[in-house]
mmCIF file with all atom_site columns, all heavy atoms in Angstrom:
data_model
loop_
_atom_site.group_PDB
_atom_site.id
_atom_site.type_symbol
_atom_site.label_atom_id
_atom_site.label_alt_id
_atom_site.label_comp_id
_atom_site.label_asym_id
_atom_site.label_entity_id
_atom_site.label_seq_id
_atom_site.pdbx_PDB_ins_code
_atom_site.Cartn_x
_atom_site.Cartn_y
_atom_site.Cartn_z
_atom_site.occupancy
_atom_site.B_iso_or_equiv
_atom_site.pdbx_formal_charge
_atom_site.auth_seq_id
_atom_site.auth_comp_id
_atom_site.auth_asym_id
_atom_site.auth_atom_id
_atom_site.pdbx_PDB_model_num
ATOM 1   N N   . ILE Q 1 180 ? 49.454 50.686 145.363 1.00 87.00 ? 180 ILE Q N   1
ATOM 2   C CA  . ILE Q 1 180 ? 48.914 49.524 144.695 1.00 87.00 ? 180 ILE Q CA  1
ATOM 3   C C   . ILE Q 1 180 ? 49.841 48.349 145.136 1.00 87.00 ? 180 ILE Q C   1
ATOM 4   O O   . ILE Q 1 180 ? 50.888 48.381 145.744 1.00 87.00 ? 180 ILE Q O   1
ATOM 5   C CB  . ILE Q 1 180 ? 48.872 49.625 143.256 1.00 87.00 ? 180 ILE Q CB  1
ATOM 6   C CG1 . ILE Q 1 180 ? 50.389 49.826 142.652 1.00 87.00 ? 180 ILE Q CG1 1
ATOM 7   C CG2 . ILE Q 1 180 ? 48.173 50.912 142.739 1.00 87.00 ? 180 ILE Q CG2 1
ATOM 8   C CD1 . ILE Q 1 180 ? 50.620 49.998 141.237 1.00 87.00 ? 180 ILE Q CD1 1
ATOM 9   N N   . ASP Q 1 181 ? 49.243 47.120 144.770 1.00 79.00 ? 181 ASP Q N   1
ATOM 10  C CA  . ASP Q 1 181 ? 49.856 45.892 145.117 1.00 79.00 ? 181 ASP Q CA  1
ATOM 11  C C   . ASP Q 1 181 ? 51.305 45.837 144.427 1.00 79.00 ? 181 ASP Q C   1
ATOM 12  O O   . ASP Q 1 181 ? 51.381 46.262 143.337 1.00 79.00 ? 181 ASP Q O   1
ATOM 13  C CB  . ASP Q 1 181 ? 49.046 44.751 144.642 1.00 79.00 ? 181 ASP Q CB  1
ATOM 14  C CG  . ASP Q 1 181 ? 49.515 43.352 145.145 1.00 79.00 ? 181 ASP Q CG  1
ATOM 15  O OD1 . ASP Q 1 181 ? 50.722 43.054 145.010 1.00 79.00 ? 181 ASP Q OD1 1
ATOM 16  O OD2 . ASP Q 1 181 ? 48.731 42.668 145.777 1.00 79.00 ? 181 ASP Q OD2 1
ATOM 17  N N   . GLU Q 1 182 ? 52.170 45.355 145.162 1.00 82.00 ? 182 GLU Q N   1
ATOM 18  C CA  . GLU Q 1 182 ? 53.687 45.369 144.611 1.00 82.00 ? 182 GLU Q CA  1
ATOM 19  C C   . GLU Q 1 182 ? 53.916 44.460 143.502 1.00 82.00 ? 182 GLU Q C   1
ATOM 20  O O   . GLU Q 1 182 ? 54.832 44.702 142.779 1.00 82.00 ? 182 GLU Q O   1
ATOM 21  C CB  . GLU Q 1 182 ? 54.588 44.873 145.795 1.00 82.00 ? 182 GLU Q CB  1
ATOM 22  C CG  . GLU Q 1 182 ? 54.337 43.479 146.239 1.00 82.00 ? 182 GLU Q CG  1
ATOM 23  C CD  . GLU Q 1 182 ? 55.247 43.093 147.513 1.00 82.00 ? 182 GLU Q CD  1
ATOM 24  O OE1 . GLU Q 1 182 ? 56.071 44.008 147.917 1.00 82.00 ? 182 GLU Q OE1 1
ATOM 25  O OE2 . GLU Q 1 182 ? 55.468 41.967 147.802 1.00 82.00 ? 182 GLU Q OE2 1
ATOM 26  N N   . LYS Q 1 183 ? 52.983 43.605 143.123 1.00 81.00 ? 183 LYS Q N   1
ATOM 27  C CA  . LYS Q 1 183 ? 53.123 42.771 141.907 1.00 81.00 ? 183 LYS Q CA  1
ATOM 28  C C   . LYS Q 1 183 ? 52.765 43.564 140.682 1.00 81.00 ? 183 LYS Q C   1
ATOM 29  O O   . LYS Q 1 183 ? 53.130 43.032 139.618 1.00 81.00 ? 183 LYS Q O   1
ATOM 30  C CB  . LYS Q 1 183 ? 52.308 41.549 142.041 1.00 81.00 ? 183 LYS Q CB  1
ATOM 31  C CG  . LYS Q 1 183 ? 50.817 41.838 141.941 1.00 81.00 ? 183 LYS Q CG  1
ATOM 32  C CD  . LYS Q 1 183 ? 50.003 40.452 141.865 1.00 81.00 ? 183 LYS Q CD  1
ATOM 33  C CE  . LYS Q 1 183 ? 48.438 40.611 141.890 1.00 81.00 ? 183 LYS Q CE  1
ATOM 34  N NZ  . LYS Q 1 183 ? 47.927 40.725 143.218 1.00 81.00 ? 183 LYS Q NZ  1
ATOM 35  N N   . TYR Q 1 184 ? 52.276 44.703 140.837 1.00 84.00 ? 184 TYR Q N   1
ATOM 36  C CA  . TYR Q 1 184 ? 52.028 45.627 139.713 1.00 84.00 ? 184 TYR Q CA  1
ATOM 37  C C   . TYR Q 1 184 ? 53.174 46.693 139.659 1.00 84.00 ? 184 TYR Q C   1
ATOM 38  O O   . TYR Q 1 184 ? 53.466 47.256 140.659 1.00 84.00 ? 184 TYR Q O   1
ATOM 39  C CB  . TYR Q 1 184 ? 50.676 46.290 139.795 1.00 84.00 ? 184 TYR Q CB  1
ATOM 40  C CG  . TYR Q 1 184 ? 49.503 45.317 139.637 1.00 84.00 ? 184 TYR Q CG  1
ATOM 41  C CD1 . TYR Q 1 184 ? 48.922 44.906 140.789 1.00 84.00 ? 184 TYR Q CD1 1
ATOM 42  C CD2 . TYR Q 1 184 ? 49.004 44.874 138.332 1.00 84.00 ? 184 TYR Q CD2 1
ATOM 43  C CE1 . TYR Q 1 184 ? 47.851 44.013 140.743 1.00 84.00 ? 184 TYR Q CE1 1
ATOM 44  C CE2 . TYR Q 1 184 ? 47.928 44.074 138.382 1.00 84.00 ? 184 TYR Q CE2 1
ATOM 45  C CZ  . TYR Q 1 184 ? 47.337 43.599 139.486 1.00 84.00 ? 184 TYR Q CZ  1
ATOM 46  O OH  . TYR Q 1 184 ? 46.262 42.721 139.341 1.00 84.00 ? 184 TYR Q OH  1
ATOM 47  N N   . LYS Q 1 185 ? 53.553 46.960 138.474 1.00 89.00 ? 185 LYS Q N   1
ATOM 48  C CA  . LYS Q 1 185 ? 54.608 48.015 138.235 1.00 89.00 ? 185 LYS Q CA  1
ATOM 49  C C   . LYS Q 1 185 ? 54.120 49.085 137.141 1.00 89.00 ? 185 LYS Q C   1
ATOM 50  O O   . LYS Q 1 185 ? 53.443 48.725 136.163 1.00 89.00 ? 185 LYS Q O   1
ATOM 51  C CB  . LYS Q 1 185 ? 55.882 47.425 137.767 1.00 89.00 ? 185 LYS Q CB  1
ATOM 52  C CG  . LYS Q 1 185 ? 56.568 46.504 138.749 1.00 89.00 ? 185 LYS Q CG  1
ATOM 53  C CD  . LYS Q 1 185 ? 56.859 47.095 140.096 1.00 89.00 ? 185 LYS Q CD  1
ATOM 54  C CE  . LYS Q 1 185 ? 57.469 46.064 141.009 1.00 89.00 ? 185 LYS Q CE  1
ATOM 55  N NZ  . LYS Q 1 185 ? 57.642 46.715 142.383 1.00 89.00 ? 185 LYS Q NZ  1
ATOM 56  N N   . ILE Q 1 186 ? 54.220 50.273 137.566 1.00 91.00 ? 186 ILE Q N   1
ATOM 57  C CA  . ILE Q 1 186 ? 53.691 51.300 136.650 1.00 91.00 ? 186 ILE Q CA  1
ATOM 58  C C   . ILE Q 1 186 ? 54.751 52.270 136.173 1.00 91.00 ? 186 ILE Q C   1
ATOM 59  O O   . ILE Q 1 186 ? 55.706 52.543 137.000 1.00 91.00 ? 186 ILE Q O   1
ATOM 60  C CB  . ILE Q 1 186 ? 52.532 52.252 137.112 1.00 91.00 ? 186 ILE Q CB  1
ATOM 61  C CG1 . ILE Q 1 186 ? 52.896 52.652 138.535 1.00 91.00 ? 186 ILE Q CG1 1
ATOM 62  C CG2 . ILE Q 1 186 ? 51.300 51.351 137.178 1.00 91.00 ? 186 ILE Q CG2 1
ATOM 63  C CD1 . ILE Q 1 186 ? 51.816 53.522 139.236 1.00 91.00 ? 186 ILE Q CD1 1
ATOM 64  N N   . SER Q 1 187 ? 54.735 52.644 134.976 1.00 92.00 ? 187 SER Q N   1
ATOM 65  C CA  . SER Q 1 187 ? 55.853 53.596 134.434 1.00 92.00 ? 187 SER Q CA  1
ATOM 66  C C   . SER Q 1 187 ? 55.274 54.502 133.354 1.00 92.00 ? 187 SER Q C   1
ATOM 67  O O   . SER Q 1 187 ? 54.137 54.221 132.784 1.00 92.00 ? 187 SER Q O   1
ATOM 68  C CB  . SER Q 1 187 ? 57.087 52.854 133.905 1.00 92.00 ? 187 SER Q CB  1
ATOM 69  O OG  . SER Q 1 187 ? 56.635 52.175 132.726 1.00 92.00 ? 187 SER Q OG  1
ATOM 70  N N   . LEU Q 1 188 ? 55.846 55.701 133.222 1.00 93.00 ? 188 LEU Q N   1
ATOM 71  C CA  . LEU Q 1 188 ? 55.449 56.722 132.297 1.00 93.00 ? 188 LEU Q CA  1
ATOM 72  C C   . LEU Q 1 188 ? 55.972 56.416 130.961 1.00 93.00 ? 188 LEU Q C   1
ATOM 73  O O   . LEU Q 1 188 ? 57.124 56.266 130.771 1.00 93.00 ? 188 LEU Q O   1
ATOM 74  C CB  . LEU Q 1 188 ? 55.791 58.120 132.739 1.00 93.00 ? 188 LEU Q CB  1
ATOM 75  C CG  . LEU Q 1 188 ? 55.436 59.265 131.966 1.00 93.00 ? 188 LEU Q CG  1
ATOM 76  C CD1 . LEU Q 1 188 ? 53.797 59.435 131.946 1.00 93.00 ? 188 LEU Q CD1 1
ATOM 77  C CD2 . LEU Q 1 188 ? 56.110 60.515 132.402 1.00 93.00 ? 188 LEU Q CD2 1
ATOM 78  N N   . GLU Q 1 189 ? 55.078 56.328 129.969 1.00 92.00 ? 189 GLU Q N   1
ATOM 79  C CA  . GLU Q 1 189 ? 55.552 56.128 128.503 1.00 92.00 ? 189 GLU Q CA  1
ATOM 80  C C   . GLU Q 1 189 ? 55.676 57.355 127.812 1.00 92.00 ? 189 GLU Q C   1
ATOM 81  O O   . GLU Q 1 189 ? 56.730 57.642 127.234 1.00 92.00 ? 189 GLU Q O   1
ATOM 82  C CB  . GLU Q 1 189 ? 54.529 55.194 127.778 1.00 92.00 ? 189 GLU Q CB  1
ATOM 83  C CG  . GLU Q 1 189 ? 54.927 54.864 126.292 1.00 92.00 ? 189 GLU Q CG  1
ATOM 84  C CD  . GLU Q 1 189 ? 55.947 53.888 126.337 1.00 92.00 ? 189 GLU Q CD  1
ATOM 85  O OE1 . GLU Q 1 189 ? 56.250 53.263 127.419 1.00 92.00 ? 189 GLU Q OE1 1
ATOM 86  O OE2 . GLU Q 1 189 ? 56.418 53.515 125.153 1.00 92.00 ? 189 GLU Q OE2 1
ATOM 87  N N   . ASP Q 1 190 ? 54.676 58.243 127.965 1.00 91.00 ? 190 ASP Q N   1
ATOM 88  C CA  . ASP Q 1 190 ? 54.873 59.554 127.219 1.00 91.00 ? 190 ASP Q CA  1
ATOM 89  C C   . ASP Q 1 190 ? 53.856 60.563 127.723 1.00 91.00 ? 190 ASP Q C   1
ATOM 90  O O   . ASP Q 1 190 ? 52.912 60.248 128.380 1.00 91.00 ? 190 ASP Q O   1
ATOM 91  C CB  . ASP Q 1 190 ? 54.654 59.336 125.638 1.00 91.00 ? 190 ASP Q CB  1
ATOM 92  C CG  . ASP Q 1 190 ? 55.445 60.436 124.874 1.00 91.00 ? 190 ASP Q CG  1
ATOM 93  O OD1 . ASP Q 1 190 ? 55.933 61.375 125.402 1.00 91.00 ? 190 ASP Q OD1 1
ATOM 94  O OD2 . ASP Q 1 190 ? 55.523 60.288 123.683 1.00 91.00 ? 190 ASP Q OD2 1
ATOM 95  N N   . THR Q 1 191 ? 54.133 61.853 127.328 1.00 92.00 ? 191 THR Q N   1
ATOM 96  C CA  . THR Q 1 191 ? 52.986 62.932 127.699 1.00 92.00 ? 191 THR Q CA  1
ATOM 97  C C   . THR Q 1 191 ? 52.869 63.772 126.398 1.00 92.00 ? 191 THR Q C   1
ATOM 98  O O   . THR Q 1 191 ? 53.710 63.705 125.467 1.00 92.00 ? 191 THR Q O   1
ATOM 99  C CB  . THR Q 1 191 ? 53.607 63.706 128.821 1.00 92.00 ? 191 THR Q CB  1
ATOM 100 O OG1 . THR Q 1 191 ? 54.864 64.560 128.383 1.00 92.00 ? 191 THR Q OG1 1
ATOM 101 C CG2 . THR Q 1 191 ? 53.856 63.024 129.975 1.00 92.00 ? 191 THR Q CG2 1
ATOM 102 N N   . PHE Q 1 192 ? 51.712 64.409 126.494 1.00 90.00 ? 192 PHE Q N   1
ATOM 103 C CA  . PHE Q 1 192 ? 51.331 65.252 125.232 1.00 90.00 ? 192 PHE Q CA  1
ATOM 104 C C   . PHE Q 1 192 ? 50.501 66.386 125.756 1.00 90.00 ? 192 PHE Q C   1
ATOM 105 O O   . PHE Q 1 192 ? 49.530 66.171 126.471 1.00 90.00 ? 192 PHE Q O   1
ATOM 106 C CB  . PHE Q 1 192 ? 50.706 64.451 124.072 1.00 90.00 ? 192 PHE Q CB  1
ATOM 107 C CG  . PHE Q 1 192 ? 50.519 65.174 122.958 1.00 90.00 ? 192 PHE Q CG  1
ATOM 108 C CD1 . PHE Q 1 192 ? 51.441 65.437 122.048 1.00 90.00 ? 192 PHE Q CD1 1
ATOM 109 C CD2 . PHE Q 1 192 ? 49.102 65.586 122.536 1.00 90.00 ? 192 PHE Q CD2 1
ATOM 110 C CE1 . PHE Q 1 192 ? 51.230 66.173 120.862 1.00 90.00 ? 192 PHE Q CE1 1
ATOM 111 C CE2 . PHE Q 1 192 ? 48.898 66.340 121.414 1.00 90.00 ? 192 PHE Q CE2 1
ATOM 112 C CZ  . PHE Q 1 192 ? 50.005 66.536 120.592 1.00 90.00 ? 192 PHE Q CZ  1
ATOM 113 N N   . THR Q 1 193 ? 50.747 67.555 125.208 1.00 91.00 ? 193 THR Q N   1
ATOM 114 C CA  . THR Q 1 193 ? 49.845 68.692 125.470 1.00 91.00 ? 193 THR Q CA  1
ATOM 115 C C   . THR Q 1 193 ? 49.184 69.174 124.125 1.00 91.00 ? 193 THR Q C   1
ATOM 116 O O   . THR Q 1 193 ? 49.883 69.112 123.027 1.00 91.00 ? 193 THR Q O   1
ATOM 117 C CB  . THR Q 1 193 ? 50.594 69.932 126.039 1.00 91.00 ? 193 THR Q CB  1
ATOM 118 O OG1 . THR Q 1 193 ? 51.631 70.253 125.160 1.00 91.00 ? 193 THR Q OG1 1
ATOM 119 C CG2 . THR Q 1 193 ? 51.140 69.488 127.418 1.00 91.00 ? 193 THR Q CG2 1
ATOM 120 N N   . TYR Q 1 194 ? 47.942 69.712 124.239 1.00 90.00 ? 194 TYR Q N   1
ATOM 121 C CA  . TYR Q 1 194 ? 47.272 70.021 123.089 1.00 90.00 ? 194 TYR Q CA  1
ATOM 122 C C   . TYR Q 1 194 ? 46.124 71.083 123.359 1.00 90.00 ? 194 TYR Q C   1
ATOM 123 O O   . TYR Q 1 194 ? 45.601 70.951 124.436 1.00 90.00 ? 194 TYR Q O   1
ATOM 124 C CB  . TYR Q 1 194 ? 46.737 68.784 122.314 1.00 90.00 ? 194 TYR Q CB  1
ATOM 125 C CG  . TYR Q 1 194 ? 45.824 67.960 123.263 1.00 90.00 ? 194 TYR Q CG  1
ATOM 126 C CD1 . TYR Q 1 194 ? 44.426 67.995 123.207 1.00 90.00 ? 194 TYR Q CD1 1
ATOM 127 C CD2 . TYR Q 1 194 ? 46.482 66.935 124.014 1.00 90.00 ? 194 TYR Q CD2 1
ATOM 128 C CE1 . TYR Q 1 194 ? 43.807 67.238 124.000 1.00 90.00 ? 194 TYR Q CE1 1
ATOM 129 C CE2 . TYR Q 1 194 ? 45.690 66.095 124.856 1.00 90.00 ? 194 TYR Q CE2 1
ATOM 130 C CZ  . TYR Q 1 194 ? 44.348 66.348 124.848 1.00 90.00 ? 194 TYR Q CZ  1
ATOM 131 O OH  . TYR Q 1 194 ? 43.495 65.501 125.590 1.00 90.00 ? 194 TYR Q OH  1
ATOM 132 N N   . PRO Q 1 195 ? 45.760 71.976 122.371 1.00 91.00 ? 195 PRO Q N   1
ATOM 133 C CA  . PRO Q 1 195 ? 44.523 72.758 122.662 1.00 91.00 ? 195 PRO Q CA  1
ATOM 134 C C   . PRO Q 1 195 ? 43.231 71.945 122.407 1.00 91.00 ? 195 PRO Q C   1
ATOM 135 O O   . PRO Q 1 195 ? 43.205 71.167 121.408 1.00 91.00 ? 195 PRO Q O   1
ATOM 136 C CB  . PRO Q 1 195 ? 44.657 73.868 121.703 1.00 91.00 ? 195 PRO Q CB  1
ATOM 137 C CG  . PRO Q 1 195 ? 45.525 73.342 120.618 1.00 91.00 ? 195 PRO Q CG  1
ATOM 138 C CD  . PRO Q 1 195 ? 46.326 72.216 121.179 1.00 91.00 ? 195 PRO Q CD  1
ATOM 139 N N   . ILE Q 1 196 ? 42.247 72.250 123.117 1.00 86.00 ? 196 ILE Q N   1
ATOM 140 C CA  . ILE Q 1 196 ? 41.010 71.705 122.774 1.00 86.00 ? 196 ILE Q CA  1
ATOM 141 C C   . ILE Q 1 196 ? 39.859 72.682 123.273 1.00 86.00 ? 196 ILE Q C   1
ATOM 142 O O   . ILE Q 1 196 ? 39.825 73.012 124.530 1.00 86.00 ? 196 ILE Q O   1
ATOM 143 C CB  . ILE Q 1 196 ? 40.717 70.223 123.499 1.00 86.00 ? 196 ILE Q CB  1
ATOM 144 C CG1 . ILE Q 1 196 ? 39.372 69.701 123.124 1.00 86.00 ? 196 ILE Q CG1 1
ATOM 145 C CG2 . ILE Q 1 196 ? 40.991 70.342 125.021 1.00 86.00 ? 196 ILE Q CG2 1
ATOM 146 C CD1 . ILE Q 1 196 ? 39.250 68.194 123.628 1.00 86.00 ? 196 ILE Q CD1 1
ATOM 147 N N   . GLY Q 1 197 ? 39.075 73.191 122.410 1.00 84.00 ? 197 GLY Q N   1
ATOM 148 C CA  . GLY Q 1 197 ? 38.069 74.247 122.702 1.00 84.00 ? 197 GLY Q CA  1
ATOM 149 C C   . GLY Q 1 197 ? 38.837 75.425 123.144 1.00 84.00 ? 197 GLY Q C   1
ATOM 150 O O   . GLY Q 1 197 ? 39.838 75.881 122.488 1.00 84.00 ? 197 GLY Q O   1
ATOM 151 N N   . GLN Q 1 198 ? 38.439 76.079 124.274 1.00 87.00 ? 198 GLN Q N   1
ATOM 152 C CA  . GLN Q 1 198 ? 39.067 77.200 124.868 1.00 87.00 ? 198 GLN Q CA  1
ATOM 153 C C   . GLN Q 1 198 ? 40.229 76.939 125.941 1.00 87.00 ? 198 GLN Q C   1
ATOM 154 O O   . GLN Q 1 198 ? 40.800 77.728 126.452 1.00 87.00 ? 198 GLN Q O   1
ATOM 155 C CB  . GLN Q 1 198 ? 38.106 78.098 125.461 1.00 87.00 ? 198 GLN Q CB  1
ATOM 156 C CG  . GLN Q 1 198 ? 37.331 77.569 126.530 1.00 87.00 ? 198 GLN Q CG  1
ATOM 157 C CD  . GLN Q 1 198 ? 36.299 78.522 127.154 1.00 87.00 ? 198 GLN Q CD  1
ATOM 158 O OE1 . GLN Q 1 198 ? 36.345 79.630 127.082 1.00 87.00 ? 198 GLN Q OE1 1
ATOM 159 N NE2 . GLN Q 1 198 ? 35.170 77.854 127.785 1.00 87.00 ? 198 GLN Q NE2 1
ATOM 160 N N   . TYR Q 1 199 ? 40.407 75.547 126.002 1.00 86.00 ? 199 TYR Q N   1
ATOM 161 C CA  . TYR Q 1 199 ? 41.391 75.248 127.021 1.00 86.00 ? 199 TYR Q CA  1
ATOM 162 C C   . TYR Q 1 199 ? 42.689 74.544 126.391 1.00 86.00 ? 199 TYR Q C   1
ATOM 163 O O   . TYR Q 1 199 ? 42.726 74.147 125.238 1.00 86.00 ? 199 TYR Q O   1
ATOM 164 C CB  . TYR Q 1 199 ? 40.749 74.180 127.906 1.00 86.00 ? 199 TYR Q CB  1
ATOM 165 C CG  . TYR Q 1 199 ? 39.659 74.639 128.764 1.00 86.00 ? 199 TYR Q CG  1
ATOM 166 C CD1 . TYR Q 1 199 ? 38.365 74.498 128.426 1.00 86.00 ? 199 TYR Q CD1 1
ATOM 167 C CD2 . TYR Q 1 199 ? 39.995 75.384 129.970 1.00 86.00 ? 199 TYR Q CD2 1
ATOM 168 C CE1 . TYR Q 1 199 ? 37.373 75.024 129.247 1.00 86.00 ? 199 TYR Q CE1 1
ATOM 169 C CE2 . TYR Q 1 199 ? 38.982 75.787 130.735 1.00 86.00 ? 199 TYR Q CE2 1
ATOM 170 C CZ  . TYR Q 1 199 ? 37.635 75.670 130.399 1.00 86.00 ? 199 TYR Q CZ  1
ATOM 171 O OH  . TYR Q 1 199 ? 36.655 76.245 131.259 1.00 86.00 ? 199 TYR Q OH  1
#
Side-chain angles (χ1 to χ4, degrees):
I180 64 177
D181 194 303
E182 62 182 11
K183 66 174 175 277
Y184 294 100
K185 302 300 179 184
I186 50 178
S187 64
L188 180 67
E189 182 75 5
D190 206 352
T191 64
F192 186 72
T193 57
Y194 54 96
I196 182 168
Q198 59 181 335
Y199 294 98

